[in-house]
Amino acid sequence: MDKEKIASIKSGFLEEYQNSRNEKSLYEVKVKYVGRNGELTKILKKLKNLSAEERKQIGTLANEARREIEKAYEARKKELGERIDWEKEKIDVTLPGKKVEIGSLHPVTLVYREIERVFSSMGFEIVEGPELETDWYNFTSLNFPFDHPARDMQDTFWVKSPKEKMVLRTHTSPVQVRYMEKRKPPFRIIVPGRVFRNEATDAKHEHTLHQFEALVVGDDVNVGNFKYIAKEFFSAFFGKKMDIRLRPSFFPFTEPSFEFDITCAICSGKGCTTCKNAGWLEIGGAGMVNQNVFVAAGYPRNKYQGFAWGFGIERLAMMKYKIDDIRWFESGDLRFIKQF
Ligand code: FA5
């Protein structure tokens, strides 16, 4: 009698456990058969009432059945653990999706990339230099005499340093001498980079800004070459024909020196409030490389000629994207950055 019961318990379990689709229902089947009040457990509990002969026979059978059930249970549990639980995983396709936040590039990065693209296409090499500079590269090698008022043109963050006088570079021009010390002309390079000025900030002035510098040196480089390259660059950058205007100025490292203006990108030179009806916008500084700078870099005096120019990247981005205040760039305000 008990022998048949054990066989039917075993086959009952083996049939039912196959149908369980998750660990919870599998466990319930196990409890039904071999739990504290399970069908097989009841038989085992009654063993003590049987004769010694029967106890041995039935006990062996029941224990075998239990072992088989336990084994089948463990195997199925493992299998279910490796399977996807469709109950948990089911997807309600009618629910609205999760919004994916897509980042965007900072306008300074966009302008950097555009500058690098246009100049690379004209055969310029892109060069970088350190943001923490020595007094020599930032000023002295660029023909700023020691204690000369020209140094006051750039409000400087001086950094305490045990050896040399160090500065947070005030412009990208120090890379001129750094590069020339290692290379012989002819060459053409651009130097984009971050610079720092101890500035009382306003809508057009920041303490941390980006500049771009171009340097072309050879045997007979002249101002006409500069004007041509500058025109080509600004026309490509703004996607329309731009003109250049030079006005005399002073930089210790160029002779002669110019401030240069470009056609107002807003009104295309017709006159508007941005350019104060001039049709021109002031954009940066330029000039022919002063021979003293070549000498500081180790070149012979009067052997080479070159031009250099530089301007602020934020100011250019302000024109391109019509941004009214330079302080937005370093603000970290996502409402600003997300618009690009
Ligand atoms: C210079 O920094 C020179 N190194 C440029 C140069 C290079 C001249 C090569 C000749 C040959 P300047 O101090 O004028 O020059 O700055 C150049 C440009 O940087 C400015 O026209 C302006 O666009 C930008 N700039 C300077 N200071 C600030 C500031 N505080 N905030 C925003 N833009 C600035």
Side-chain angles (χ1 to χ4, degrees):
M1 180 67 184
D2 277 340
K3 273 191 210 163
E4 283 155 27
K5 192 105 188 273
I6 291 169
S8 93
I9 288 172
K10 205 166 83 177
S11 63
F13 173 83
L14 293 177
E15 202 172 296
E16 271 189 59
Y17 96 108
Q18 292 282 13
N19 297 331
S20 51
R21 311 199 96 231
N22 55 43
E23 286 183 33
K24 188 168 170 271
S25 67
L26 175 67
Y27 184 70
E28 280 162 8
V29 176
K30 182 186 162 188
V31 170
K32 182 176 164 194
Y33 289 94
V34 292
R36 206 161 358 130
N37 296 313
E39 294 182 28
L40 192 65
T41 317
K42 278 184 200 152
I43 292 179
L44 283 164
K45 275 184 186 165
K46 281 196 294 183
L47 281 180
K48 60 180 184 306
N49 306 329
L50 301 177
S51 66
E53 178 72 8
E54 278 178 319
R55 194 157 58 220
K56 196 173 164 209
Q57 242 187 10
I58 303 295
T60 312
L61 276 178
N63 276 318
E64 255 173 30
R66 190 166 64 176
R67 270 197 298 279
E68 236 177 284
I69 287 174
E70 293 280 0
K71 204 170 145 200
Y73 167 78
E74 288 303 330
R76 178 76 178 154
K77 192 175 154 196
K78 186 162 175 259
E79 193 183 300
L80 286 174
E82 284 161 7
R83 274 204 197 168
I84 294 169
D85 182 345
W86 293 111
E87 272 306 306
K88 271 199 221 145
E89 294 294 323
K90 86 179 163 195
I91 297 169
D92 182 350
V93 290
T94 62
L95 284 174
K98 279 190 194 148
K99 202 171 161 212
V100 180
E101 293 279 345
I102 298 174
S104 59
L105 292 175
H106 192 279
V108 168
T109 308
L110 293 172
V111 173
Y112 251 59
R113 291 197 177 175
E114 185 59 6
I115 290 175
E116 290 178 359
R117 187 187 67 77
V118 177
F119 277 93
S120 299
S121 75
M122 292 196 277
F124 280 69
E125 186 186 343
I126 301 160
V127 179
E128 288 183 347
E131 290 177 355
L132 186 60
E133 259 303 358
T134 57
D135 175 273
W136 166 256
Y137 286 113
N138 198 81
F139 290 124
T140 311
S141 69
L142 291 173
N143 199 35
F144 284 84
F146 189 67
D147 277 346
H148 190 276
R151 289 189 182 223
D152 299 339
M153 285 163 52
Q154 299 181 358
D155 307 289
T156 309
F157 288 113
W158 293 95
V159 179
K160 272 193 190 148
S161 159
K163 279 193 197 151
E164 284 177 88
K165 279 174 94 177
M166 302 291 283
V167 297
L168 286 175
R169 67 174 175 189
T170 56
H171 52 172
T172 42
S173 302
V175 186
Q176 290 187 17
V177 174
R178 282 188 175 275
Y179 183 85
M180 288 193 287
E181 280 174 340
K182 293 197 204 94
R183 300 283 288 270
K184 289 275 163 280
F187 60 77
R188 43 192 139 161
I189 60 168
I190 57 164
V191 186
R194 187 159 57 158
V195 307
F196 309 85
R197 300 217 178 169
N198 189 2
E199 198 83 70
T201 58
D202 61 27
K204 284 195 156 177
H205 295 88
E206 252 297 6
H207 48 74
T208 302
L209 61 136
H210 297 78
Q211 280 189 346
F212 148 90
E213 182 106 358
L215 177 68
V216 177
V217 179
D219 290 333
D220 58 356
V221 176
N222 58 49
V223 178
N225 300 144
F226 158 67
K227 276 195 87 173
Y228 175 78
I229 287 176
K231 255 193 211 176
E232 287 294 301
F233 165 69
F234 287 110
S235 301
F237 184 81
F238 286 104
K240 54 184 167 189
K241 197 173 162 294
M242 302 290 277
D243 216 346
I244 301 291
R245 183 173 79 167
L246 305 184
R247 287 175 290 110
S249 184
F250 170 75
F251 295 101
F253 40 96
T254 47
E255 179 60 35
S257 303
F258 320 102
E259 295 283 349
F260 69 95
D261 305 333
I262 56 170
T263 313
C264 174
I266 312 286
C267 64
S268 300
K270 290 187 198 77
C272 65
T273 48
T274 307
C275 61
K276 300 198 181 75
N277 278 326
W280 297 97
L281 283 172
E282 186 184 321
I283 186 107
M288 297 305 291
V289 178
N290 191 308
Q291 290 296 325
N292 288 345
V293 176
F294 286 146
V295 172
Y299 294 173
R301 187 175 292 279
N302 295 331
K303 183 165 173 22
Y304 300 113
Q305 292 187 161
F307 69 76
W309 53 304
F311 55 76
I313 289 185
E314 281 81 358
R315 297 254 180 104
L316 195 64
M318 285 168 85
M319 257 181 250
K320 180 149 180 156
Y321 302 116
K322 305 193 172 50
I323 298 164
D324 60 355
D325 195 315
I326 196 168
R327 289 166 293 191
W328 283 115
F329 289 89
E330 291 282 320
S331 68
D333 191 328
L334 291 180
R335 291 171 306 172
F336 169 68
I337 295 167
K338 277 182 174 168
Q339 295 175 49
F340 299 94

